[in-house]
Amino acid sequence: MSALLGELARAPEVQLGSAWEHVLGPGAVVGRFELLREIGRGGFGIVYEARDRELGRSVAFKAIRAGDRAALQEDRLLREAEAAARLSHPNIVTLFDAGRCEHGPYLVLELLRGETLADRLTGEPLATGEALRIGSAVAHALAHAHAAGVVHRDLSPGNVFVCGDGRVKVLDFGLAHAFGRRRISGGTPGYMAPEQWRGAPEDERTDVYALGVLVYRMVAGTLPFPDDAEGSATASPRPAPALHVPDAPALGALLARMLAKDPVDRPRDGAEVAAALDALRTGPARTP
């Protein structure tokens, strides 16, 4: 991964996104991968279900769109991308391979069956036990990444996948940022921490804030600061509205800490949040 990113950083500027558009489609072959069908797309890239013709397995093939090339020249970013590529945890999607062809860079990832949390949250709020289960899984993924020095920076329902068998996987750990994908001030509006709106340094507590918003939305059915596309409510001193959860009374206090405007007042990292959520799951709200 580090060698690939170094090559991309030195390569002349080209419109990789437009180059991919003429190639992608069912039946196309890129290297040893045959594309079968499109399964998702976004600002970071387009994802296809594909078949690895050498190993005979189904994979997710993600064609990377062009990003901010200057970002690839940061040594710290390259080191973090290399660490992200080595992450191995049951709650983080597995990266099998990375490569580059004449049309641009691509990633080959574990193929998941199910739906994103964003798809699941289109209806009623989740049961408290289910919200705690998903939140705990995401927290354990963050704990593993934070221990390796990797910060997600863009945790949102679109980057959390709930598999058909109930497993929870976090997507795009550090890779969107590594490939030069510069989001508005660094994250997804609604899930961005105050320091991201200010353009201040980000660390593990930025992910803690985003996870707090995630759990809040799963339980309450709404964001703590809805319709805050410009970040004014998030950046203001006003705290997030208190959340009272009858079947998990301590959850409201934990979320208040996770959504603290000052990072110093939040839990330090994913490991601290995972321990707190696991403790809550042992109470009455635990899912059978």
Side-chain angles (χ1 to χ4, degrees), residues 13 52 55 62 69 80 84 86 98 107 114 118 148 160 170 197 212 229 231 249 281:
E13 185 66 40
D52 186 330
L55 299 181
K62 175 172 272 192
R69 188 61 54 85
E80 183 170 323
R86 291 199 305 264
L107 304 176
V160 176
V170 179
W197 284 108
R281 292 189 68 206

Side-chain angles (χ1 to χ4, degrees), residues 47-265:
V47 185
Y48 272 79
E49 178 180 348
R51 184 173 65 89
D52 186 330
R53 301 196 299 176
E54 289 186 7
L55 299 181
R57 65 181 176 187
S58 295
V59 297
F61 180 96
K62 175 172 272 192
I64 306 301
R65 293 183 183 275
D68 181 359
R69 188 61 54 85
L72 296 175
Q73 298 173 3
E74 302 171 8
D75 290 340
R76 177 179 175 276
L77 184 59
L78 296 179
R79 291 195 300 270
E80 183 170 323
E82 185 179 17
R86 291 199 305 264
L87 293 179
S88 178
H89 189 272
N91 297 121
I92 299 177
V93 65
T94 302
L95 175 65
F96 291 141
D97 199 0
R100 178 189 172 100
C101 66
E102 64 270 24
H103 309 291
Y106 61 84
L107 304 176
V108 180
L109 304 118
E110 171 187 11
L111 180 65
L112 304 176
R113 309 285 188 183
E115 61 182 353
T116 67
L117 185 57
D119 294 329
R120 179 171 288 197
L121 289 177
T122 56
E124 296 294 321
L126 303 185
T128 304
E130 178 69 353
L132 289 175
R133 184 185 74 85
I134 294 174
S136 174
V138 175
H140 280 283
L142 291 178
H144 177 76
H146 292 169
V150 178
V151 179
H152 194 291
R153 293 189 180 89
D154 192 18
L155 186 63
S156 68
N159 280 329
V160 176
F161 199 92
V162 183
C163 300
D165 59 5
R167 292 175 300 148
V168 178
K169 299 272 190 174
V170 179
L171 313 178
D172 288 348
F173 238 117
L175 296 176
H177 186 58
F179 275 95
R181 172 66 179 152
R182 292 291 195 184
R183 296 163 297 276
I184 176 173
S185 299
T188 298
Y191 296 85
M192 290 168 55
E195 61 269 21
Q196 289 181 292
W197 284 108
R198 296 194 304 267
E202 305 165 23
D203 62 14
E204 295 86 349
R205 294 166 296 187
T206 303
D207 285 346
V208 167
Y209 183 94
L211 177 55
V213 177
L214 201 70
V215 176
Y216 191 107
R217 183 179 176 189
M218 285 192 288
V219 174
T222 184
L223 295 171
F225 300 105
D227 303 320
D228 189 28
E230 302 299 324
S232 57
T234 302
S236 74
R238 178 169 61 89
L243 189 62
H244 302 286
V245 187
D247 48 352
L251 179 58
L254 174 61
L255 289 177
R257 291 182 57 217
M258 295 173 69
L259 296 174
K261 299 300 181 72
D262 189 338
V264 175
D265 297 326

